[in-house]
Amino acid sequence: MKKYLIILAIILAVSSIAGYFYYKQTPEISYKTAKVERGTIISNVAATGNLSAVITVQVGTQVSGTIQKLYVDFNSRVKKGQPIAEIDPSLFNAAVEQSQGNHFSAEANLQKAKIALIDAERTFKRSKQMLADGIISQGDFDTAETTLHSAKAAVKGAEGVLAQTRGSLMQAQTNLRYSVIRSPVDGVVISRAIDVGQTVAASFSTPTLFTIAQDLTKMQIEVSVDEADISRIQLEQKASFTVDSYPEQTFRGKVIQIRSAPIITQNVVTYVVVVSVDNSDMKLKPGMTANVSVEVAKKDDVLKLPPAALRFKPKSKGDEPKEKSSGERTAASGQRPMGGAPGGVGKGGSAKSKERTLQVYLLTDGKPVATPVKTGIANNSSIELVESSLKEGNEVIIEQVGGDTKKKAGASASPMGPRF
């Protein structure tokens, strides 16, 4: 029995020593790599906006009354001058009849004034001859002359009243025409704000009854672009976008306007960029939210690096994770430093003097070797390689696997949990 215990103790001792040396050794380090490729890089500016018709006309009414008839509804196609609604014309017809009666009366009064003028002119001529013959006195002649002038003034007054009644008649007739609301353009009714029997009042402002989109085959997107990206936007640049209704389809457009008026919302400054869209298939509708990507730069047949290659930094045994400074955290996250320009250029310094040297690592004889690079435009998947000794097909390191990273992570954790 004692012999078996001694053998068991020897086995346990050997196993412990072997296990100690097994776990003591550093795990083998390996690297994941990616090839330097040649191809096309497209740099984009992403933003969101809403689709709208290029020309939208709000149709109202210039007279008040009760809606008697509706000739169109939502999505109705209309032509210019086509009746789309009608206000009860009873009051307007009555006003026309009244104005027309006043106009006829004024015409009759003018005729009476003209006849009185003719009579006054004959009397004046006769009195003038009789005064020369000494038949009447000067006073009778003066009376005839005064009557003539009064008759002329009466004709002028009757003409003025006739003009007033003519204007009233024209106004009443115009109001009667306005009781029939007509489309001012060719288009499609996209909004209707009234129903039959509803009373509309145009006393102080013209109410909007219909909204007509002139041509839905041509639409536009008003995109809000951040001030940091607006300098990269130019007229005629290509744009692509998607909408939630057709998530698998990409639509095309181009930049047609860059508005200079800033829009400030919670201290965030944006500018409106208008993108024109062809909607010949009529899939797009006004108000849809569009996720727009404007193509601001494109280069063909260039060397491309994966972004992970620039973020990679090799770790060897004994490296301890250190807390990054605020500047390193900013650079790692790709954000702009406070108070400076992109790339860390602040006031009083040149971009060249503030440039950071970028480098990637090649796998040579199983070890990472740093290689300086100069980059150009970039997107989410690739970065342009402007100047470097790298060639197409070279493999750059993007990730390190193994080493003492896992061991240290396990050793740093206490089996009893965190210490307080």
Side-chain angles (χ1 to χ4, degrees):
M1 184 68 180
K2 185 176 181 180
K3 181 179 179 181
Y4 287 112
L5 291 176
I6 294 174
I7 294 174
L8 180 61
I10 293 173
I11 293 173
L12 289 175
V14 172
S15 299
S16 298
I17 295 172
Y20 172 78
F21 284 105
Y22 174 79
Y23 288 103
K24 183 67 174 177
Q25 66 180 357
T26 303
E28 183 181 356
I29 299 176
S30 62
Y31 300 95
K32 291 183 179 180
T33 61
K35 289 185 178 182
V36 177
E37 299 177 343
R38 184 175 294 276
T40 301
I41 294 182
I42 300 176
S43 181
N44 299 314
V45 170
T48 59
N50 294 98
L51 283 155
S52 62
V54 177
I55 299 178
T56 302
V57 181
Q58 294 181 337
V59 182
T61 175
Q62 296 188 13
V63 295
S64 302
T66 303
I67 300 297
Q68 187 180 57
K69 295 179 181 179
L70 282 176
Y71 299 107
V72 297
D73 202 349
F74 292 92
N75 300 328
S76 297
R77 292 188 173 275
V78 295
K79 299 291 184 180
K80 183 177 181 180
Q82 174 184 337
I84 57 178
E86 183 178 347
I87 296 175
D88 185 2
S90 302
L91 295 177
F92 305 110
N93 284 324
V96 170
E97 291 293 332
Q98 182 178 3
S99 298
Q100 195 167 18
N102 293 335
H103 181 65
F104 290 153
S105 177
E107 284 183 338
N109 291 333
L110 177 60
Q111 292 297 326
K112 290 171 60 177
K114 288 182 177 179
I115 293 172
L117 175 60
I118 293 172
D119 182 63
E121 287 177 344
R122 287 198 301 261
T123 302
F124 175 74
K125 290 180 180 179
R126 190 165 52 247
S127 298
K128 186 177 182 180
Q129 183 63 39
M130 293 173 67
L131 177 64
D133 295 339
I135 299 174
I136 62 173
S137 64
Q138 182 67 39
D140 293 336
F141 175 78
D142 292 341
T143 300
E145 186 177 15
T146 301
T147 302
L148 176 62
H149 291 310
S150 296
K152 289 181 179 180
V155 170
K156 291 291 184 182
E159 289 176 345
V161 173
L162 180 63
Q164 289 180 347
T165 57
R166 187 185 299 115
S168 298
L169 178 60
M170 292 175 62
Q171 182 179 2
Q173 291 172 340
T174 301
N175 289 339
L176 178 61
R177 289 197 305 271
Y178 283 157
S179 66
V180 178
I181 303 169
R182 300 178 183 273
S183 173
V185 294
D186 297 344
V188 178
V189 178
I190 60 175
S191 174
R192 175 175 63 83
I194 55 170
D195 288 299
V196 174
Q198 185 174 340
T199 300
V200 292
S203 302
F204 301 102
S205 61
T206 302
T208 299
L209 308 182
F210 300 90
T211 302
I212 299 177
Q214 186 168 0
D215 186 5
L216 286 181
T217 61
K218 296 179 181 179
M219 302 186 72
Q220 65 183 21
I221 311 172
E222 294 187 1
V223 183
S224 296
V225 178
D226 188 83
E227 62 175 326
D229 297 321
I230 193 63
S231 61
R232 304 167 62 192
I233 305 294
Q234 303 293 331
L235 294 176
E236 302 298 324
Q237 284 178 338
K238 297 178 181 179
S240 59
F241 66 95
T242 59
V243 293
D244 293 340
S245 298
Y246 307 97
E248 297 180 356
Q249 183 174 355
T250 300
F251 299 89
R252 305 293 176 181
K254 67 177 180 178
V255 177
I256 60 171
Q257 188 180 66
I258 304 171
R259 298 178 183 173
S260 299
I263 299 176
I264 304 175
T265 305
Q266 296 180 350
N267 294 328
V268 177
V269 181
T270 58
Y271 295 87
V272 174
V273 174
V274 181
V275 177
S276 67
V277 178
D278 182 19
N279 189 32
S280 301
D281 53 5
M282 299 297 291
K283 288 185 175 181
L284 302 174
K285 299 184 182 299
M288 284 185 172
T289 301
N291 301 310
V292 184
S293 180
V294 180
E295 182 182 310
V296 296
K298 180 180 180 181
K299 291 189 177 181
D300 297 318
D301 195 31
V302 296
L303 292 178
K304 301 188 298 182
L305 279 174
L310 291 174
R311 295 193 296 266
F312 172 75
K313 184 178 180 181
K315 292 182 180 180
S316 59
K317 184 177 180 179
D319 286 345
E320 296 293 338
K322 297 180 181 179
E323 185 178 353
K324 294 181 179 180
S325 65
S326 60
E328 291 174 338
R329 286 196 301 268
T330 301
S333 63
Q335 297 177 351
R336 186 182 305 174
M338 294 297 292
V345 181
K347 295 182 179 179
S350 64
K352 187 174 182 180
S353 62
K354 298 288 184 177
E355 284 182 353
R356 291 186 302 123
T357 301
L358 300 177
Q359 60 183 12
V360 296
Y361 289 85
L362 287 173
L363 190 61
T364 304
D365 296 331
K367 295 182 179 179
V369 178
T371 302
V373 295
K374 184 177 180 181
T375 60
I377 65 173
N379 55 27
N380 293 334
S381 60
S382 303
I383 300 175
E384 178 193 6
L385 189 60
V386 176
E387 185 178 325
S388 174
S389 59
L390 297 177
K391 296 181 180 180
E392 182 180 359
N394 288 154
E395 293 189 352
V396 292
I397 302 175
I398 59 174
E399 185 181 350
Q400 176 177 324
V401 180
D404 57 357
T405 306
K406 293 182 179 180
K407 179 182 171 183
K408 288 187 178 185
S412 60
S414 171
M416 300 299 294
R419 298 176 61 187
F420 295 93

